[in-house]
Amino acid sequence: MPDTTPASLAPVDAFFGGTFDPIHYGHLTPVAALARQIGLASVTLLPNNVPPHRPQPEASARQRLRMVELAIADQPLFRVDDRELQRETPSYTIETLETLRKERGAHASLAFIIGQDSLLSLYKWHRWESLLDVCHLLVCARPGYRQQLDTPQLQAWFEAHQTTDVAQLAMRPAGTIFLADTPLVNVSATEIRRRRHAGQSCDHLLPAAVERFIDSQGLYRE
Ligand code: ATP
């Protein structure tokens, strides 16, 4: 009898983008649960640049990268790819994914992980309808966000591409959306920065090594 557990299928190469200002357990815990659920061998974190017209991160690109490295140092599931931070200009997610697709060839399974809040407003992303041409989307639950997507067009697109069949993710290179049943972790980087500015502790919201780094750099203090 063939073994049909997800881990036995061809590997799904999964990436998780974010500003990570700072990285926290709302990023790490749901994604680790997703990895267990669908049998991902590794997840690559992709810290991103923020376009000039948007509010800028408080931490520098180098500090955000260092915080990611510290957060994952003892977690073999995670890797980091700093290609977006190496560039002078912000890159659109679709462009990075197209580059990753070229590197891997047409047949490899490629996935991009987002939180529920990102799915709701995906129609605001540059060339959002092309995302599924190059990858699958894996969506982690996030507390405080509704299920209904922001526009009828996005909702229809979601319904046309959603799968509940984990095997599809490994068998096809791209093209489906999988809503993962991940734990709800009520943490945001905004709340962590707010607490730090107010002089409140962030214990249990992010890894201790990251909090020590934040202290040592005097980050998120006015
Ligand atoms: P901010 O509060 O500054 O907007 P954030 O906490 O949302 O930041 P980002 O780095 O912007 O963190 O998020 C990167 C990705 O992680 C996004 O896809 C987002 O949806 C997801 N994400 C962030 N926090 C959570 C959470 N608590 N649960 C599930 N997904 C999350």
Side-chain angles (χ1 to χ4, degrees), residues 16-17 19-20 24 26-27 115 117-118 141-142 185 187-190 193:
F16 181 42
T19 310
F20 303 129
H24 53 69
H27 300 124
D117 57 307
S118 299
R142 185 168 188 177
V185 181
V187 182
S188 71
T190 303
R193 295 192 300 270

Side-chain angles (χ1 to χ4, degrees), residues 41-106:
S42 82
V43 172
T44 304
L45 301 173
L46 268 175
N48 53 34
N49 278 320
V50 177
H53 60 275
R54 298 241 199 93
Q56 291 301 297
E58 288 189 35
S60 67
R62 189 188 285 258
Q63 288 170 323
R64 291 186 291 119
L65 176 61
R66 187 68 195 129
M67 289 190 280
V68 169
E69 289 169 347
L70 288 167
I72 65 175
D74 60 353
Q75 301 210 38
L77 172 68
F78 292 104
R79 299 169 192 181
V80 59
D81 181 329
D82 67 353
R83 68 178 66 212
E84 291 196 350
L85 298 181
Q86 303 279 5
R87 293 173 47 123
E88 298 284 302
T89 52
S91 16
Y92 291 110
T93 298
I94 182 67
E95 293 170 350
T96 302
L97 288 165
E98 284 173 342
T99 305
L100 291 167
R101 165 58 64 204
K102 278 205 193 95
E103 290 171 4
R104 279 152 184 77

Side-chain angles (χ1 to χ4, degrees), residues 16-31 46-48 57 64 112-119 125 138-143 145 182-193:
F16 181 42
T19 310
F20 303 129
D21 182 31
I23 190 164
H24 53 69
Y25 285 133
H27 300 124
L28 298 166
T29 306
V31 172
L46 268 175
N48 53 34
R64 291 186 291 119
F112 191 67
I113 302 170
I114 56 175
Q116 173 73 9
D117 57 307
S118 299
L119 176 66
W125 290 27
L138 311 177
V139 184
C140 290
R142 185 168 188 177
Y145 293 90
T182 50
L184 296 173
V185 181
N186 196 10
V187 182
S188 71
T190 303
E191 174 65 4
I192 289 175
R193 295 192 300 270

